[in-house]
Amino acid sequence: MFLSSSCPLGLGAEMLGFALVLCASAVHASQTCLSDAVPHELRRNVTANGTSIPLGIWNGQAKWQTATPTAVFQILVEEYLGYNVNVEVSNSGVAQHVLYALAGCDNPTASDDVDRGCYGQETKWHAAIGVYLTQEVAQHYEQVQRMKMGGVLEDLSSIGFPSYAGLYVDGQAQLSAFVRERLFLDDYRNYNAKYENPSRWFSSRASINTSKLIPCVRWRGTLQSGLEMFLQLFDDLEGLDFSGPEIVPYCPDGFWWLARTCRQNPDDCTPCITGSSHSYVYDVEEVMFKANAWNMSLALAAADGHAIGTAFAELVTEERLLFYFWEPDLTFRQAHRLISFPENNEQQWALGNKATMAQPLDLRIVGNQNLDTLAPDVRDLMINMEISTAEVLVMMSASSDAAKDLQAALGTTLIREEWWSAGWVGACQWLQQNRQVWQGWISLRSNCYAGQGMWQVLQETGESPDGLEPYGGQWLTNRSQRAICRACPPGRYSALLEDADGATAVCRPCRPGTSQAYSMSVSCDYCPAGTKADHWAATRCEKCPQGQYQDETAATECRSCADDKTTTVLAAASEMDCICRAGRYLWNLTECRPCPEGMDCPGGSGAPQQLRGFWAENLGTEARSRYSVYSCRDPARCPQGPPGRCSFGRTGRACADCFLGYASDVDGSCRPCDALSLWPFLLLPIVILGLLPLLVAASILVSRARRVATSIFIVCVIFGQLVVCLQSLEAIYQFEIAWIDPAKAVLSSLALFSLDIEFSCILDPQSHVVEYGSQLLAYPAVLLATFGFWLLARWAKRPITFNSFVNLHGVLLVALLTAMSLTVMRPFQCRQNPNGLTTMATRTDVLCWGPEHGPLVVLAALGILAYPVTILSSIAFLTWKYPTWLRSGKGLEVLEKYNFLFGRFRPERYYCGLLLSGHNLVVALIPAALVSVPALQVGIMGIVVCIKLASQSLLWPWRVEVANYNDLVLSTALLILLLLASPMLRLEQNQDGSFLVAALLTGVLCLLPLVALAAACLAASLRLRPQSKYDAFLCHHKAGAGALCRFIKLIVHKYGRMNIFLDSDELDDLARIFEIVSSDTRCLVAVLTPELLQRMWCAGELTSARKHGIPIIPLYCDGYAFPDADSINNIQSVWTEEQQYTLTSHGISMEDIKATYRHLSARKGYALSRHASLEEQERLVLDVAMAARGPRGAWRAEVAPQGAVGAARILLCSTELEPEAISTVLILQQMVQQQLRIATFRARGLKDIAAAASASFALVLLSKGVLEDPDFALRVGQMRAQGLSFVPVNDGTFQFPAPDFYQQVEEGGVAGLSPNLGRSLAKAFQALLGILALPLTPHASSGILERQVTQICQRFGNLDDLLEQRTLSKTATDEVCVADISMSLTGFEDVDGDAKTTPDQDHSAELNSEYSSRDDLWYA
């Protein structure tokens, strides 16, 4: 015999423990006990209310006397009857818990004061073996039975053996007394102290070790109520202790309670002990009752435990004494005898008097009443099952031995499941050895009950003959030797069959039209109306699906409704249940028409409901409804409901308007207008009355302090960027996106920029033309108000410059271009509605191209011309003219008016104002142009923002660094907002845009590789195509024309784009200079100065150009005369042999050089005088540049006029004796004017200085010999006299004079001037040279030069402050002539505060006569 394939029972004792260890966890898994056990895969569940579950067995005690019979029952049900079994080993020890478990309670082990969850639900526990139905438990049994009509439980039978509990006498003592004196110690009467003293047969109380006893004060149990009855019956006050909070037995020595018959002589007391469990002492009061009732001389004590190995078991085994115990039990296998007392008196026991014999416990077999239908064969087994005391002791002994072996093998205390495994082993051994006993408990296998049928397992593989049952078996219609009973499954019913062997039952399939949903049924049910069963053995009747009905019973199919109709529910039982399908509505009481888009048609005869966000208008009658559906601007305005429903306070088509006197609320409704509702209309006068004074104050601050001006400029730029970003958000808000709060509330408030507000508080809701016209005239109103304010300021003698007025409105127009464009494009923003009509997106009650829409279109066309077209064209024109204006001083005055457009950006990024305005216009066009294709709105806007991000990152246009980062952050935030909002895009109404989206995606995907391929091809072609890198090569002598060449390059770049080679910028390797000329140059310009032809490298450059056919353009500087033929023929004498060798190594011979010089002398050139005016020099440079580019690349630029010197803010001064100094000053003029964008002028005479009334600074170039130039000294004195601030610059050639220089000038003056001017000139030189001169290297690279000029520009403070100080300090007339200024030079000494005069004060006439002719020539 085997437990399973791996757990044999036939092993020796030494292997059994190991086998139990392996199989201890397999109790509920795969073990088998019987040789003919039903395989696991063929075992079945029980089915209750359609739920299939294992048959549940509840074992409430882990004691062997109940556990082993339960295990016997489990094995038979599983292996012989073929059920799946689930065993709960509760070990709660409380019998009523079993009853509540079998009743299906959720928490059966809860105490009486806790809800056990008994709600009449189906139970998963069906049987219990060995239930103690005591008087207390019987009360719970009755309570459970009342849960259901007819009862819940069924007390089927007794288990077969009783359970006794009481006083036992030691077997040896009993045997000795009987043998010696024929004394029966198992009779209570032989313990009566009046007649006997049996203590001589037992151990003395003193010999018992009290360490194994429990002190009386720790006794717990049912003592309190029992001792109260004990006191009442016996009035034994001395036997009780009343000192504590509860009554306890009084123990003189703390361990032994003495009966009153031996209390005076404790040695005559017979020792008696009882066991305990966790201080719960077993039945102490019962022993005390019996001792006093029958005059028994007992000394009662309690020991810990009751099982083998405990103190209680040791005392019972080692000593001769009486003890309280029970049976059947294996703890003491010696022949201990139960002491008999008078027969049990149930009435006395009920009152608490336990002097009579305890009632033996009858262990019952209890089951759930459903077993009669769920598993009748199991119920029969429970009724027939009977086990004797001897048999249960055999089972218990085998289980105990198995438990010992298992514990020895595991080496630990056994847990509950391991105890159960050992009990299962004992039960299995008994079943194997007593087959003839338990087979009598089980009826014939083929005797099936009602609800069952005969089933035969097939030997061979394949399907059942009738094809209706699962693989591996078949239902029988006649008995067979291998037939077993199985519950009829759903789809079959049990039919009675009688034959020679008696009555049985078969399972037959339900016919079509009938069904059976439950197992163990005795009939099939007809399918009711509305259902069908179209096959045999149907477990349920299928409901007629939607769109079908059946008005007859027992049907095998359903009937279909007419077209366009369906049923509202499944299992329709009448043709009247056929109604219009969902998505259609009833028209003319008979016809079902399609539901219009934007409406909800639930079907049936009810009217369609408009969906949220749509407004439906009924154009027909109630019976013949015809709906026209419009989309609402805000879904909250049009709630779901009957057609035409609007939110509170709204009216008009698509709920577009509020009633007059009402204003829109955040929830889409309208509320009565209040002060808060009028704030948009109050904002315009607030701006006019509040913002303009702030702007005036800001302009005053700007004119007062450079730091304050810079801070205000930064704030204004960043605020302007924020305003532009907010307008972009307003455009995005107009997309077809289902915005949610709080984003919706924030974005809706941005409509104020474009004045997209409702005027219902002051205008009739239908005044569309007046409302839109007011929006278009908002800016003209601001313009007129500010113009009036400007006139008022002039009248109040606090004039605001017209340039400030222009800049103010320029800022407004550029900043609000998006909002203005959104406003003027609003009538063209027409959106398709579900009814096919188009309405304005912002005024959904206006039909596009209808009578109301025409005037709005006319106004919008005028607005487009007045705002975006005019603004953008003006910006484009100003941007186009900017380079021209920047070239001249007069143009710089014009640019001051348009500082709003160019002042925010770096000079080289002046065109970014146009780009930004174009971007803002495109942003405004997207909602209007793509209103019918919302799927493209987010994508196109994302592309526009990405282009702006890329342009911003590449150009870095803003003048203020923080503005560039702020622009990046704002654009990135816009892009993130688009990404987050894209999932909320509403596309359900406009699916036609999917093609355009697909086309756009395809175009982008195709464009990516094409762009990469084009870039690669362009790069390769540029690399491979031979081309000249430089348009012109400036061949010059650095000392004689280095500054001039830098000036030439500046002028060419000022008027156009031309790549010029200047060695200080381009040359990295001197050895490649000839290669650059021959291969990378289109034209060579020879800047002829006295030493050019004598320079070896210059000669090589010219010769390389001639030999390789590069055109050479001579530029004669300052009257340069070409050398004669003899000088050319002897040219080799100017170079050393090493220099000649260097030229020869590059393939240049002396003859080549001579030929080049003759060729150069024969070419027509250009003559340049550095003493000429700036316009003349620029015109000549441009002529040379056009000649260098040739006919194919010729371009012509108009030379910008220098402008009037009176507008100059900075005067430049240098010596006129050195041509290179003049070129250096012109370089300074161009670069300073470019960076500062203010007029600068080169002061060539005293009249220029006198005319420069607006000048604040004097930029003085210190060069070699400048202090010996009398003209320079005179101009420096004049500048000091006019109060100009000096900014000295050293070109690197200037040598600061010796310390005695000022004394020499003061005593002797400057050569060429009157000695009387010495002191004044000394003061002027001291003021000039006392300031740290900044370096300027005109021969350095452009990068170094730009950094030096930037440092120089930082020296200029607030020009306006200085100009105002000069104006206020004037004491003479505004017009100062040269003679007057010359006379004032004699008074230079009074700058120190003294009023001294010299005898020779009156020398102005001499000074005038000396220089008048020169000045007149300059001004001619």
Side-chain angles (χ1 to χ4, degrees), residues 736 933-936 982 984-992:
E736 290 292 332
V933 195
L936 289 178
S982 57
M984 297 184 287
L985 191 64
R986 293 193 293 259
L987 298 177
E988 65 277 5
Q989 307 169 24
N990 301 277
Q991 297 298 334
D992 295 339

Side-chain angles (χ1 to χ4, degrees), residues 1319-1337:
R1319 185 175 182 183
S1320 300
L1321 293 178
K1323 294 289 185 180
F1325 282 143
Q1326 193 171 8
L1328 173 64
L1329 300 179
I1331 302 173
L1332 178 65
L1334 296 174
L1336 180 71
T1337 312

Side-chain angles (χ1 to χ4, degrees), residues 13 153 192 264 350 372 376 382 440 467 572 703 705 836 839 863 889 899 937 970 1076 1093 1298 1351 1399:
L153 307 179
N192 194 325
Q264 301 300 325
D372 190 17
M382 295 170 65
S703 66
T839 55
N899 195 45
Q937 289 177 332
L970 293 177
I1076 293 173
L1093 300 181
Q1351 187 178 10

